[in-house]
Amino acid sequence: MTPRTQRAMPEGDDRGFEPGNCPVRQVLDHVSAKWPVLILMELGQEPRRFNALQRALPDISKRMLTQSLRNLERDGIVRREVFDTKPPSVSYSLSELGHGFLPHVLALVEWAEKGMPTIISARAAYDNA
Amino acid sequence: MTPRTQRAMPEGDDRGFEPGNCPVRQVLDHVSAKWPVLILMELGQEPRRFNALQRALPDISKRMLTQSLRNLERDGIVRREVFDTKPPSVSYSLSELGHGFLPHVLALVEWAEKGMPTIISARAAYDNA
DNA sequence: CGAAAATGGTCTCTAAATGAGACCAATATC
DNA sequence: GATATTGGTCTCATTTAGAGACCATTTTCG
């Protein structure tokens, strides 16, 4: 008996990546998330001190700035140096690993900038529909 | 009178990017966040249906999968096609714009993989200290 | 001298985002 | 008839992020 209604299409299943224990995921989360991206771009220009970062990124909270920097430092992407001034100064800069990452972020931004017109009109079309 | 304590170092200030209204930021958030990255990598291999994506990414919730896909669709990065099967099938695939983005994500992953040994030992050093 | 500002954070409290899972209508399968 | 499947949405609990007070020390300003 031939069914008169069409069968569902093939799924194209795939086991995907291992869920929580994937190390690449963790690093990506530390690096490609909202704030880390902006922080790394700032540090890509020049080393900056904690408060300077905060002023450069006015809408990040102290809390998230600290947390993001800690993650990046722990992963060896950012270096933290304390100088014994009064009051003490803390300078953050890209490590070698961090410098290797920088071009990729910049490429992302460039892609976004170049695609922006397309994106804008796609949004207009979507919202209009 | 020469101060005996060292002065704080220069800040290296910078006005940074415009806070909330930056369009590039929005796109980056839709594209480089945790789930979107994984979704785009899946779609980079082949178009996939909603439930297939969910099975490929077992630890994403329906809620976030839907939300991420909607963002990507609205920005014209992902295309959504509904097929009139019973029950109806919905296929997600990369648009041209999306395909242009794919190499960048892959580069990120490659960078993370290549740097993983360095990262691992950086973490060990950090945790040890 | 006393007050205010700056350093780099931490801590708490609240607001927002996320995860877990029930639920839906229509149809096919068992 | 019961169960499963489709692609979601909706609600509720949990997790995460944001806002801002607070800290000790020293410098500058009045």
Side-chain angles (χ1 to χ4, degrees):
Chain A
M1 203 221 281
T2 58
R4 78 202 66 205
T5 54
Q6 204 177 342
R7 243 12 208 16
M9 40 184 335
E11 299 268 7
D13 268 72
D14 168 306
R15 198 157 319 92
F17 310 89
E18 299 303 329
N21 45 4
C22 173
V24 173
R25 274 202 195 187
Q26 297 175 5
V27 175
L28 252 47
D29 285 351
H30 292 166
V31 133
S32 81
K34 182 180 182 180
W35 297 121
V37 166
L38 299 173
I39 292 171
L40 290 172
M41 287 189 62
E42 278 299 317
L43 298 182
Q45 304 181 232
E46 262 190 293
R48 294 213 194 296
R49 291 177 40 196
F50 186 88
N51 284 338
L53 277 172
Q54 207 180 214
R55 280 187 291 266
L57 276 22
D59 55 344
I60 189 174
S61 60
K62 269 170 142 51
R63 198 177 165 280
M64 288 314 289
L65 181 54
T66 303
Q67 190 174 117
S68 304
L69 285 170
R70 292 276 184 278
N71 286 149
L72 295 170
E73 186 197 356
R74 191 172 102 99
D75 286 357
I77 293 159
V78 155
R79 195 176 5 155
R80 177 177 183 272
E81 288 171 288
V82 182
F83 294 97
D84 191 16
T85 56
K86 304 292 169 104
S89 318
V90 180
S91 172
Y92 291 92
S93 54
L94 292 186
S95 70
E96 202 173 329
L97 189 62
H99 271 106
F101 177 72
L102 191 59
H104 298 310
V105 209
L106 296 177
L108 249 57
V109 173
E110 210 180 318
W111 169 86
E113 280 171 348
K114 230 172 71 184
M116 194 58 71
T118 309
I119 293 170
I120 300 289
S121 69
R123 284 182 185 167
Y126 182 95
D127 293 345
N128 195 282
Chain B
M1 202 219 278
T2 57
R4 79 202 63 204
T5 53
Q6 204 178 342
R7 242 16 207 15
M9 39 182 341
E11 299 268 9
D13 268 71
D14 168 305
R15 197 156 320 92
F17 309 90
E18 298 304 330
N21 45 5
C22 172
V24 174
R25 273 202 196 187
Q26 296 175 7
V27 175
L28 253 46
D29 285 352
H30 291 166
V31 133
S32 81
K34 183 179 179 181
W35 297 121
V37 166
L38 299 173
I39 291 170
L40 290 171
M41 287 189 61
E42 279 298 317
L43 297 182
Q45 304 181 232
E46 261 191 292
R48 297 216 193 294
R49 292 177 41 197
F50 186 88
N51 284 339
L53 278 173
Q54 206 180 214
R55 280 187 289 266
L57 275 23
D59 53 346
I60 189 174
S61 61
K62 270 169 139 55
R63 199 178 164 281
M64 289 313 290
L65 181 55
T66 303
Q67 191 174 116
S68 304
L69 285 170
R70 290 278 183 277
N71 286 149
L72 295 170
E73 185 198 355
R74 191 173 102 99
D75 286 356
I77 294 159
V78 155
R79 195 179 0 161
R80 177 177 183 273
E81 288 171 288
V82 181
F83 295 96
D84 192 17
T85 56
K86 304 293 170 107
S89 318
V90 180
S91 172
Y92 291 92
S93 53
L94 293 186
S95 70
E96 202 173 330
L97 189 61
H99 270 105
F101 176 71
L102 191 58
H104 298 309
V105 208
L106 296 177
L108 251 56
V109 173
E110 211 180 317
W111 169 85
E113 280 171 348
K114 230 172 69 184
M116 193 58 70
T118 308
I119 293 169
I120 300 289
S121 68
R123 284 182 186 165
Y126 182 96
D127 292 344
N128 196 282

